Amino acid sequence: MAKVFGFSLTAIYLTILIVIGSCTILYFVFADLADGIAEGIPFFDPAVILSFISITAASGYLLERFTSLTSIVAFVIALVIAAIFTALLYFFLLVPLRSAEVSLVYTDASLEGQTGRVIVPIPLDGFGEIVIESVNGIISKRAASYQGDEIPYDTKVLIIEVKEGTAFVTSYDKGFANA
């Protein structure tokens, strides 16, 4: 059995696996901090790097322990296995999870078509205020009548469009009475 610095390769692989496994657990606990620190460094993703090293160490340990391959061949095979599994992990787990993050941000365009309630009456040619209840919470918005009508307090309204931070609304019941 091959030795490096007086230690067997299986002991080295096992030690690396334990140390990197511990680092992975710490990374899961402090992931937000680690991602914030590494944000400015391109192509540096701790989750991918830690998984690559863990899979390499585990594969190397198993190949050294249970096969009769030479140490160099076992190490190369372990690297190939780690590259394949890490790529699968990255493209089929990490990328979809990151793109599926829920955001509390809303855009003006996303408010169009939603309903709200008038909390400050909207005069004929002026501005009032509405509130919109959504999954993001309660949003209050400056509002004006889309058709130039007066809209009283506590009227349910439909947001037709949003321009320059102002929601142009129509009475919800009135807007659909003619339809």
Side-chain angles (χ1 to χ4, degrees), residues 96-179:
L97 282 175
R98 288 195 178 123
S99 65
E101 287 183 0
V102 176
S103 175
L104 297 180
V105 177
Y106 68 91
T107 63
D108 286 346
S110 70
L111 295 177
E112 294 175 3
Q114 291 193 30
T115 59
R117 191 150 304 276
V118 177
I119 60 170
V120 174
I122 303 170
L124 291 173
D125 293 322
F127 298 103
E129 191 169 348
I130 62 170
V131 292
I132 305 125
E133 292 183 29
S134 70
V135 294
N136 300 336
I138 297 175
I139 303 164
S140 75
K141 207 75 168 143
R142 179 179 61 206
S145 175
Y146 185 73
Q147 298 166 330
D149 300 337
E150 187 174 306
I151 303 175
Y153 171 79
D154 204 34
T155 303
K156 190 173 184 180
V157 293
L158 176 68
I159 301 171
I160 305 298
E161 73 178 318
V162 181
K163 280 194 227 173
E164 300 173 4
T166 302
F168 290 90
V169 299
T170 186
S171 175
Y172 188 71
D173 299 326
K174 180 181 169 189
F176 288 101
N178 299 332

Side-chain angles (χ1 to χ4, degrees), residues 34-53:
D35 288 342
I37 291 171
E39 191 172 310
I41 305 169
F43 306 113
F44 180 76
D45 188 349
V48 175
I49 293 169
L50 290 171
S51 66
F52 179 79
I53 296 171

Side-chain angles (χ1 to χ4, degrees), residues 2 9 13 56 59-64 67-82:
L9 280 178
Y13 282 131
T56 302
S59 301
Y61 175 78
L62 292 173
L63 290 170
E64 281 289 328
T67 66
S68 59
L69 297 171
T70 63
S71 297
I72 298 295
V73 172
F75 180 68
V76 170
I77 292 172
L79 287 175
V80 170
I81 291 170

Side-chain angles (χ1 to χ4, degrees), residues 5-46:
F5 301 115
F7 298 102
S8 70
L9 280 178
T10 55
I12 292 172
Y13 282 131
L14 195 55
T15 304
I16 291 171
L17 184 60
I18 291 169
V19 169
I20 296 298
S22 301
C23 289
T24 303
I25 291 170
L26 287 174
Y27 173 72
F28 285 136
V29 173
F30 301 109
D32 290 335
L33 177 65
D35 288 342
I37 291 171
E39 191 172 310
I41 305 169
F43 306 113
F44 180 76
D45 188 349

